[in-house]
Amino acid sequence: MGKLVILKLGEGNFEQGFPVTLQIGDENARPSLEITGKLPPNPEITHNYHRWQSIYRNLRLPSRVKGLPKQAIQVPTLEQCQQATEEFKLGFNSWLASDSFRAIREKLLEKLTPGDDIRILIQTKELGLQILPWHLWDLLERYPKAEIALSAPSYEQINKVQNIGDKVKILAILGNSEGIDTQADREILEKLPNVKVTFLVEPERRDISDRLWEQDWQILFFAGHSATQTNATGKIYINKTESLTISELKYALKKAVERGLQLAIFNSCDGLGLAREFGNLNIPQIIVMREPVPDKIAQEFLKYFLQAFAGGDSLYLSVRQARERLQGLENQYPCATWLPVICQNPAEIPLSWQSLYINTSIKAPSVSKFVPEFTHAKQIPNRLGFLAILPISIGITILLMAVRYLGFLQPLELKAFDQLMQLRPAEKPDSRLLVVTVTEDDVRAQQWEKRRGSLSDKFLVQLLKKLESYQPAAIGLDIYRDYPVHKDYPQLAKLMQDSRFVAVCKVSNPRGKSGIAPPPEVSSDNLGFSDILLDDDNVVRRHYLALNPPPFSACNTFYALSVQLTLRYLDRKGINLQFTQEGAWQLGKLKFKPLEAHGGGYQGIDAFGHQILLNYRYSPSPENIAPQISLADVLAGKLNPAAVKDKIVLIGTTAESFRDYSLTPYRFKGKSHEIAGVFLQGQMVSQLLSAALDGRALLSYFPIWAEWIWVWSWGFSGSLIAWYLRRGSYLVLGVGVGLIVLYGSSFILLSYQGYWVPLVPAGFTFAATTIVCRIKNL
């Protein structure tokens, strides 16, 4: 006889603690024991979990989450993730070993034995408790047949019609498969014994509803993209254009439960929101993934789970075995064992595979049927000539690239990059933009007005009325407004709710530094963050496109201001943001290659979010990005309507008193040139528009293997020059010509192709191989 343990965690929070009630009893019987306790206040629990979550969600793992491509916070290392894991685990178990909870822990040790089959239900409605990985509780290590499930405090047993036949009836929905392999899930399901699987491949909403209404199902399976929204509701992406919440299939799913639906498996990302909604339908059991799940882990879990479950193990034990088997992949996919979680209706009896069909005589398939075959391509070594000079060029290349990887060359590479950018030919200002500047004179003109920033409500409403009458494509306000509109200006609130209007906020730093909240009147769809990326010398060379805000951030928009404005402009041209199968951004024919922690001259940078290199438009100063007009001139009627119609209008301050300025790669009189934040936003918008509409190249860099070949080829060239040119004067001339060719080719590739190549490492390698070969007199 198995044991049922229920931990009821009442209302509370991590600042005040949670009341706890423990119930222990036999399966299918009333509890034989009940005691109470308390989990004490401990805000560090949620802080440590969100820190781990932030690192995990930004690992570069191909997952089944839909929305932003998974881009890394400096592509965090596996060691960083492991460190965050251990810190959370230590704090979590310390919390569960607290004095106020000790009586519950001791009672569990007293009443349970290691040989018991144990189901432990964590019963709570608090999302902050549901997301915690309870399987890390060190107490569970004593009980190899125990598994934890989540349950809601409110539940009901549904009177079901049991239509059991000779096959297990499974409805398998294979949703949007961009960037993932749902075919592997299909093959695993097809190998199950005694099943009748009906597949719906990227179906429409009506197809799913009709199948749920018209037929009896015992298992509902979904593979594809899913996500939990900010309001804690789950969403599945059933095809490339449609998504669904559980509530949108409420009646069809309730009917399916009444007709015998026993188990739902969502082999997709971030499924706790789905489970919370399913709980309202009182489905007996649900299996979800608590966080974004790598495609490989989703497939392996499904294979291991179904192998154990169809082989006769209980559902709980099958999940535990499958989850623990994922540990063998955690060197590549950290915390894989954290992901699968059961959500249980306490009123229902645990499911077994044999209870789903009549004929139990057919043996479960052998393990080998579930094990995919892999072939390994043989590596054929290259045979290289020039045995005298080749090892030198290879050795020096390896040395220089190792030094580069450690970041020692990054300052020199950034200076070289700045110099090449300065030499590029000037370009015309972007006529698709208009910049409205709030100057120091404009600020002084508002000194008698009620204002909390550089632009008062009175002046802003006048400006927006004037601009919107001229029909712009979009208006971007690059001025923070973390306060409501004054009651005397209700029309301003209405103007700020226009779909063409985009306001800014600042995302909180993942390390806890607070950001700046958005205007209360503006919806999340009309927000863009204004965060910028500063290198160690405080120069802006990178362009934020998107990021995943920390859960505690007051600014929770995913997209940058420049992206929001660009998308509104391009939408009029019939161009929308799409994602490739690899998860990269695409605007029309333009594909974005996100910057990596080790990309171009950058080595080990914070690559948090989706960021690219900023390709400044130099005409002849970065401030001359677009036509400009001051606030005073606009309000004085000096603005030409043609300068606004169908254009992007950016509003921002250039007043020195507010110091919204950033350094650029350009230099004047030996110092880095500063530009106002509104001009920097204009550079970013212009970069996206020019790339999508004009074919202007985005800045990129070679893949790592190509960079190695590039650096080695210059090292090999240097060794050839030293080997061939014996006279000193010829050698100096050859080296000089070689360096000029290197510099010139680097400039051409950057200016006309958009490639930032390793100029400094190639130059050092070229010079070093020349010197070494000359010394050795090869």
Side-chain angles (χ1 to χ4, degrees), residues 446-611:
Q446 303 174 68
Q447 59 182 327
W448 306 115
E449 301 294 332
K450 297 178 181 179
R451 63 178 178 85
R452 294 172 60 180
S454 60
L455 190 56
S456 68
D457 287 4
K458 177 181 177 181
F459 277 63
L460 179 57
V461 71
Q462 294 177 20
L463 175 61
L464 292 182
K465 286 170 62 178
K466 179 80 70 174
L467 292 175
E468 293 199 1
S469 68
Y470 296 154
Q471 300 178 354
I475 299 175
L477 179 64
D478 186 31
I479 297 175
Y480 294 126
R481 287 182 59 94
D482 55 345
Y483 50 88
V485 172
H486 193 274
K487 62 181 180 180
D488 294 340
Y489 301 99
Q491 189 176 8
L492 175 57
K494 184 177 180 181
L495 289 169
M496 292 172 68
Q497 292 167 2
D498 190 291
S499 61
R500 294 173 297 177
F501 181 83
V502 182
V504 293
C505 54
K506 187 173 183 180
V507 175
S508 299
N509 189 292
R511 298 176 181 87
K513 185 178 180 181
S514 61
I516 299 176
E521 300 81 12
V522 180
S523 69
S524 59
D525 292 335
N526 287 15
L527 287 179
F529 63 78
S530 63
D531 299 58
I532 59 174
L533 294 153
L534 299 178
D535 292 334
D536 292 339
D537 54 2
N538 293 320
V539 174
V540 178
R541 301 181 181 90
R542 293 174 282 160
H543 177 184
Y544 251 146
L545 298 180
L547 55 80
N548 286 315
F552 55 82
S553 177
C555 176
N556 57 9
T557 181
F558 292 103
Y559 296 105
L561 172 64
S562 58
V563 173
Q564 291 279 35
L565 295 173
T566 300
L567 293 180
R568 282 161 171 75
Y569 187 93
L570 294 179
D571 183 64
R572 294 176 168 226
K573 308 288 185 180
I575 300 175
N576 297 307
L577 178 62
Q578 297 178 326
F579 299 98
T580 66
Q581 291 185 351
E582 296 79 22
W585 284 30
Q586 183 169 344
L587 287 172
K589 295 182 180 179
L590 173 68
K591 293 183 180 180
F592 293 82
K593 178 182 178 181
L595 185 64
E596 299 173 339
H598 292 272
Y602 288 113
Q603 304 299 323
I605 61 165
D606 184 348
F608 173 53
H610 198 89
Q611 53 182 272

Side-chain angles (χ1 to χ4, degrees), residues 34 46 74 137 153 177 182 205 284 295 352 433-434 442 478 509 523 619 647 660 665 672 687 762 777:
E34 179 174 307
T46 184
Q74 189 193 353
W137 192 1
S177 60
T182 57
R205 174 177 174 175
D295 205 25
S352 68
L433 278 68
L434 173 69
D442 293 326
D478 186 31
N509 189 292
S523 69
S619 53
K647 307 294 175 63
D660 181 19
S672 293
Q687 162 168 257
N777 197 27

Side-chain angles (χ1 to χ4, degrees), residues 11-37:
E11 293 186 0
N13 53 55
F14 288 95
E15 286 71 31
Q16 298 176 349
F18 299 90
V20 182
T21 300
L22 169 67
Q23 293 180 343
I24 302 178
D26 294 329
E27 284 282 12
N28 307 323
R30 294 177 61 84
S32 59
L33 177 149
E34 179 174 307
I35 63 171
T36 60

Side-chain angles (χ1 to χ4, degrees), residues 27-28 119 285 314-316 344 348-352 355:
E27 284 282 12
N28 307 323
R119 291 193 303 135
Q285 287 95 193
S314 69
L315 181 122
Y316 278 65
Q344 174 74 48
E348 297 288 346
I349 299 173
L351 180 67
S352 68
S355 67

